[in-house]
Amino acid sequence: MTDREKDREKDRELSSGEPPFMYIPEAQKNEEHGIAIPTPPFELTERTAKHGQALARHDKAEGKDDVIPDSLDEVFERLENEVGYKVSFDIVVREMTFGERRVAFFYMNGLAKDTILTEILKRLTYLQPDDVSGDAFHDFLHLYVPAAQVDKKDKWNEMLTFVLSGATAMFIDKEPHAIIIDAKAFPARNPEEPTLERVVRGSRDGFVETLMTNISLVRRRLRDPQLRYELLRVGERTQSDICIAYINDLADPELVKSIKDKIKLVHIDGLPLADKQLEEATVQRGWNPFPLVRYSERPDVVAAHLLEGSVVVFVDTSPSAMLLPTTFFDLIQHAEENRQTPFIGTYLRWVRFLGIFSSLFLLPLWLLFVVHPELKPQALAFLGPEKIGKLPLIVQFLIVEVGVDLMRLASVHTPSTLATAVSLVAAIMVGDIAVKTGLFINEVILYMAIAAVGMFATPSYELGLANRIVRLVLIIAVSLFNAPGFVIATTAILMMLSMQRSFNRPYMWPFIPFDYRAMWNIIVRKPVLKNRTRPNLLRPQQSDKMPRTE
């Protein structure tokens, strides 16, 4: 028995003897040919009666059951049995007669544009029997339905997907087809400045929960005919719309194909949490705390990455976009640096790097110097508390770490009018009383505050949380194993990050593998006219951004 067969047998044993998983032939083929693009190794395709009904709606017979009935009475009956017509109050079926032909409109109240449908009904009421020929469906589709976007559908399940997405289906008696009218009106808010990516100067529009609005914000900034938006659907029940955006003559075709293939291989009940669940199903698998995807809520940032050769994934109902592939150093970039002069931008970048470095290593190093004063340089002889306090230092650090997280959660879940008061009570009263009672020492509170500021200065919220876990690991390693523990833990974490890949791209590039030019572009914010090439990590089809001068 091969190793692969052993792994499959182990999965069956772990699932209580039932085989709910099936190996994907595409993934096996990629593995046998040595293709390095990672693909999800297993696909959830069927569950037994013990686990509920089968998930895949497209696995139903695509014969008689998937054909649109040619009788309106049969259509109404199927809508009652399959969709909940006459039970769900938001399902609307409007039956009328135009030119002596029975017609029915089927749509979701709240998702359909009622003004457009009213205008269509007005137009159709003028039809006379002589206006409708023997091919009534052709006449309604091409002559009489005054809508900008109409389409013909023959499949029942496909028609349902469009209607549940906001479109309107028009049925004609004695016609086994449906006219899909694109008259949508999604509940949406106006574009506002993102909370996590604020800039002093710059655009104030950010992504919202409506897919069409988000891609329009990017299209407004990129008037390039090579910009492509490809639409996919994921989720057997949610049928979530997913848009893959890229510039056709810039992005690596293999990267685009890899992303599309991995998304198509996702078979899941639904994506109610939108892009986060899609990330876990395609990129972020396992228990690695570091994010392998960069999220952005700014259309200008997304447009800039598209011009670099990246691929962007939008998910409907999500106010953020995924930028692929992603490296560790992409997650510490911010739009504010490019809104200032190159000198100021470089300074802000260095300050941010210093804050991130402090959030990682300040507390472990201070604890190491306190435990082993002989390791302190002479210039840092002043470091160290006069009194340790009633609790051991490691316990103080752990309590303060958990306390900061608790205050952050309390601030998030507290109404905005009370958030300031809660922060003052937690920071001043709790911290001050804890020091005065001798439970904590001043230095622990001070350095923890500096580390927390460095964490909040990290542009990526997900990276800031991952760095906090790293800091806890380093503190525990120093407490248990002193200096060797700090060195070994730091090396192990660096090796783990070096082995990570985001869509077959090294996560620690350009540090590992080292790329001098790319590393210099990260350290220094170069002027626009000096930044002439695209990152070779993305393998763009055109490496030059502008013509080279002699």
Side-chain angles (χ1 to χ4, degrees), residues 288-291 360 455 460-472:
N288 178 22
F290 283 89
L360 285 172
M455 186 196 74
S460 172
Y461 178 72
E462 294 81 6
L463 180 62
L465 295 178
N467 288 343
R468 166 163 290 184
I469 300 300
V470 172
R471 183 171 67 241
L472 283 173

Side-chain angles (χ1 to χ4, degrees), residues 391-401 439-440 444 475 479:
L391 296 176
L393 288 177
I394 180 62
V395 177
Q396 295 184 36
F397 277 125
L398 295 179
I399 294 177
V400 173
E401 287 278 4
L439 295 177
F440 299 100
V444 170
I475 290 175
S479 176

Side-chain angles (χ1 to χ4, degrees), residues 13 170 178 222 277 311 450 514 530:
E13 294 175 358
M170 176 180 174
L222 277 180
Q277 288 182 312
V311 179
I450 297 176
F514 189 74
K530 297 294 184 181

Side-chain angles (χ1 to χ4, degrees), residues 126-177:
Y126 292 104
L127 291 179
Q128 300 298 324
D130 296 339
D131 297 330
V132 182
S133 64
D135 192 354
F137 187 86
H138 175 274
D139 294 342
F140 278 101
L141 177 63
H142 297 285
L143 300 178
Y144 300 132
V145 177
Q149 297 184 32
V150 294
D151 195 10
K152 172 185 176 182
K153 295 299 175 185
D154 300 320
K155 303 291 186 180
W156 177 265
N157 289 331
E158 190 175 359
M159 177 274 300
L160 284 182
T161 300
F162 274 91
V163 174
L164 294 174
S165 300
T168 299
M170 176 180 174
F171 302 99
I172 305 171
D173 194 27
K174 299 180 182 180
E175 297 289 343
H177 317 287

Side-chain angles (χ1 to χ4, degrees), residues 205 350 368 393 536 538 549:
D205 55 344
W350 289 358
L368 180 62
L393 288 177
N536 56 23
L538 302 175
T549 57

